[in-house]
Amino acid sequence: MDLSLSTDWHPLLTRWQLTVDGEAFATAGSRLLPVLWQGRPAMLKRALTPEEQSGGVLMQWWNGDGAAYVYAHHDDTILMERATGPGDLFAMAMEGRDDEASRILCATLARLHAPRAAPPPTHLVPLRPWFRSLETAAGSDVRFHRAWNTAQALLDDPRDPVILHGDMHHRNVLDFGERGWLAIDPKCVTGERGFDYANLLTNPELPTVTRPDRFRRQFDVIAQAAQLEPRRLLRWVVAFAGLSAAWFLEDGDDDGIASDFAVADLAQAMLDG
């Protein structure tokens, strides 16, 4: 992928009078460049996919409440505030502060889910189409079938609809110093708020995610902090873990599938017990 500064960034550096403040880098769906804007640390983010571009629109709609503030936007690129605080939720979860990290994630989601006066973005995607990958995989394994059945029942009886983050995990909420913990990298999806909280329990990057003691403890912390009905949250965990496993199946990631199935089994065991 070409990350040439002269090719990609110069027009925007001129447009917004920016100073480069770090090396450009890429994620699966975007290119990013640390900059200074009016003396403030900021980040240029250019969307490479429609999904990423929609996420930028949602960031603008949140207007800095629970999410990084967007200073400016042009076509497929946003200029947003940059996290410079020392905190790291992933490190906290790995260093004995798992409860605190989960409560911060829940508090961030509560801010994002709160009603807004401004009309919502027009191109929100409902949750049901997101589950097509799980529907496709449902015939390939009994655990995919179980997850798809659970997902269908939840989608047929939606509760507490909100505009979701869609990809809430420990690396998508960052320390913005005096502004506190704020979200980045949302999707543009709408549905039951329990979907976002289920994601917190399935992060395959956390090596502790499949430990039964850790799962039960963090489930209790999250259900209480989010004020969610426990059995419904467990059902969302089964559904979301199955969906995540279906995405890993498409990517050929056996480790990701195994992690998600293990989490789904833990949630199902609690439902059955």
Side-chain angles (χ1 to χ4, degrees):
M1 182 178 293
D2 178 18
L3 291 176
S4 166
L5 178 62
S6 61
T7 299
D8 288 338
W9 302 112
H10 271 163
L12 292 171
L13 295 175
T14 301
R15 170 185 284 269
W16 290 321
Q17 297 182 312
L18 306 174
T19 303
V20 176
D21 193 40
E23 293 293 325
F25 61 98
T27 66
S30 61
R31 300 181 186 184
L32 298 103
L33 179 68
V35 295
L36 295 176
W37 176 72
Q38 298 182 2
R40 307 176 195 175
M43 186 74 75
L44 275 174
K45 180 178 180 180
R46 171 165 291 164
L48 302 179
T49 65
E51 183 179 74
E52 285 288 332
Q53 194 163 358
S54 295
V57 173
L58 182 54
M59 292 279 286
Q60 295 169 55
W61 183 72
W62 277 327
N63 197 31
D65 184 5
Y69 191 79
V70 176
Y71 297 130
H73 67 278
H74 177 70
D75 293 337
D76 59 358
T77 304
I78 60 173
L79 174 67
M80 65 183 189
E81 66 179 310
R82 174 160 43 109
T84 58
D88 183 324
L89 293 182
F90 190 92
M92 288 167 61
M94 294 301 300
E95 296 168 0
R97 299 167 65 191
D98 215 352
D99 291 6
E100 184 181 354
S102 291
R103 291 189 179 106
I104 289 169
L105 287 161
C106 289
T108 304
L109 279 174
R111 292 179 66 186
L112 298 180
H113 291 168
R116 302 291 200 275
T122 58
H123 45 286
L124 292 167
V125 177
L127 264 182
R128 187 177 294 273
W130 262 40
F131 278 84
R132 286 177 184 146
S133 294
L134 179 56
E135 181 181 12
T136 299
S140 64
D141 186 286
V142 65
R143 288 166 293 186
F144 280 129
H145 181 72
R146 176 186 66 188
W148 172 233
N149 283 344
T150 302
Q152 285 188 93
L154 290 166
L155 294 168
D156 287 342
D157 178 31
R159 304 176 189 176
D160 299 328
V162 297
I163 295 178
L164 298 163
H165 180 281
D167 191 22
M168 179 56 67
H169 56 73
H170 294 71
R171 300 211 190 270
N172 272 349
V173 173
L174 305 179
D175 181 359
F176 282 76
E178 292 182 0
R179 290 256 292 135
W181 296 94
L182 302 172
I184 60 168
D185 292 348
K187 311 304 177 187
C188 206
V189 62
T190 182
E192 185 170 332
R193 69 187 185 99
F195 176 91
D196 266 348
Y197 292 98
N199 198 349
L200 305 183
L201 288 156
T202 63
N203 183 2
E205 292 187 10
L206 277 173
T208 58
V209 74
T210 59
R211 275 179 27 197
D213 59 332
R214 189 264 176 190
F215 179 86
R216 286 190 294 268
R217 172 68 185 178
Q218 294 315 304
F219 172 80
D220 289 342
V221 168
I222 290 165
Q224 182 178 28
Q227 297 184 321
L228 287 166
E229 196 279 310
R231 290 188 63 83
R232 193 163 182 91
L233 177 56
L234 286 169
R235 293 168 67 201
W236 271 115
V237 172
V238 172
F240 182 86
L243 174 60
S244 178
W247 288 334
F248 281 127
L249 181 66
E250 293 173 346
D251 294 338
D253 186 337
D254 292 340
D255 290 340
I257 295 170
S259 176
D260 282 330
F261 277 166
V263 171
D265 287 346
L266 291 170
Q268 190 64 51
M270 289 179 66
L271 283 167
D272 293 342

